[in-house]
Amino acid sequence: MKPQGPTTYRPTRLLSAALALAGLVAMPAQALEINLGNAAPYAALVFEDLSGLLKSEGRVAVGGNLTLGSATLGAGTPNLAGTPTLVVRGNIVSFTGGALWSGSNPGYGLYAGTKSANTAAALDLRQASILPLDIEAERVQLSVLSEQLRDLPSTGTTSLGPTQLTLTGSNASTEVFALTAEQLAGNQRVVLANVAPDAHIVVNLRANAQRRISVGLDTLALAGWKGRVLFNAHDAETVQFAGQTLWGGLLATNACVCNSTGRLEGIVVARKWSAAMEIAYTPFVPKP
């Protein structure tokens, strides 16, 4: 909302703003716009190579090379005529079967590099000199967003018990929680308390000393906040799942989702992907 009438800027306000820009003053969660920008229409944005993906109900963008077996992409999206289901900045090393969809309509893919003979003839894959997404620009912008989310002060607390991990919020419009690698690796189920039903939830994940995150938590309790949950793996180089479903988006701009099985119920942004997993079509709802 625009302020009514003239605004007086005091030196303390200017100092606080300058310190915040310098990263010396933590920005409150409610002051940060959480928006995935041009990546938002995609279920997966991978900056480097992608391989092993079994299925994505949404669109997929790859900054490096694509190596797939029989995979189905795009069947959960709305019908978007003229919008590619798949965007590959590098080469299509293989894509041996499956299908490309735009909702219930047949879809197509674009690639800027080369397409190998190890590609199913039935797939509509078109070489293009100009792609609809500047993947390198998105890498820069989303890396900045990950750092901003990392620096948000927590609005809630965590309590680890024998069978559950309780996240207790403050009924804020944006709840921020911080979890360690040890908390993530446990087999507990997540329980929420004092979290508003329309809140956005940011879960900052801290990797272990090897910069690895192994997810063991049962996050089903977050299903009620579908499209408004973002797990921020800001310092991880590897994120691994062992059959779990993650109920939320995953922002892992420096990490490889590797050697994993399971399902993601939200957008995934990663440096690299080498995992036999499925990705739902669950667009992230921006937080203004």
Side-chain angles (χ1 to χ4, degrees):
M1 179 181 296
K2 293 183 178 179
Q4 300 299 316
T7 302
T8 301
Y9 295 96
R10 298 183 177 90
T12 53
R13 291 184 181 178
L14 294 176
L15 178 60
S16 296
L19 291 173
L21 288 173
L24 300 176
V25 172
M27 178 183 295
Q30 287 71 27
L32 176 64
E33 180 181 359
I34 307 175
N35 191 329
L36 300 182
N38 294 326
Y42 294 84
L45 170 57
V46 176
F47 302 131
E48 298 176 12
D49 296 345
L50 180 146
S51 63
L53 179 66
L54 299 178
K55 180 174 75 171
S56 174
E57 296 172 1
R59 299 162 62 196
V60 175
V62 181
N65 297 330
L66 178 77
T67 305
L68 293 181
S70 182
T72 300
L73 309 181
T77 63
N79 294 329
L80 299 173
T83 302
T85 300
L86 174 66
V87 176
V88 179
R89 190 173 63 174
N91 305 322
I92 298 180
V93 177
S94 67
F95 195 165
T96 59
L100 297 173
W101 294 96
S102 180
S104 59
N105 294 333
Y108 69 96
L110 298 178
Y111 63 96
T114 61
K115 181 181 71 171
S116 78
N118 196 23
T119 303
L123 296 170
D124 185 358
L125 297 168
R126 312 170 188 176
Q127 192 173 37
S129 58
I130 299 176
L131 299 177
L133 183 69
D134 186 338
I135 294 175
E136 200 56 38
E138 294 307 308
R139 183 176 197 163
V140 172
Q141 294 175 17
L142 293 171
S143 295
V144 171
L145 175 62
S146 179
E147 293 175 357
Q148 291 174 325
L149 295 175
R150 173 201 65 194
D151 294 338
L152 290 176
S154 294
T155 63
T157 59
T158 64
S159 176
L160 183 63
T163 61
Q164 66 186 44
L165 175 67
T166 302
L167 306 181
T168 302
S170 56
N171 284 311
S173 62
T174 301
E175 297 284 7
V176 181
F177 300 97
L179 298 182
T180 65
E182 292 72 23
Q183 289 173 318
L184 287 164
N187 294 318
Q188 289 83 3
R189 63 187 180 93
V190 172
V191 175
L192 297 181
N194 294 335
V195 177
D198 59 348
H200 280 69
I201 301 173
V202 174
V203 185
N204 283 316
L205 311 179
R206 188 167 71 243
N208 63 17
Q210 291 73 43
R211 301 196 70 178
R212 177 182 296 272
I213 288 174
S214 297
V215 180
L217 286 178
D218 176 356
T219 60
L220 180 59
L222 294 167
W225 287 263
K226 188 175 181 179
R228 287 177 281 119
V229 180
L230 198 57
F231 289 86
N232 181 35
H234 53 84
D235 66 346
E237 292 182 353
T238 303
V239 179
Q240 188 171 18
F241 299 86
Q244 294 86 358
T245 296
L246 185 71
W247 288 88
L250 176 64
L251 188 58
T253 57
N254 298 311
C256 175
V257 179
C258 290
N259 303 319
S260 297
T261 58
R263 181 177 171 88
L264 291 169
E265 288 284 344
I267 185 173
V268 56
V269 177
R271 177 181 63 84
K272 188 175 181 180
W273 177 284
S274 178
M277 297 183 70
E278 298 182 354
I279 304 172
Y281 177 65
T282 308
F284 183 77
V285 179
K287 175 64 173 67

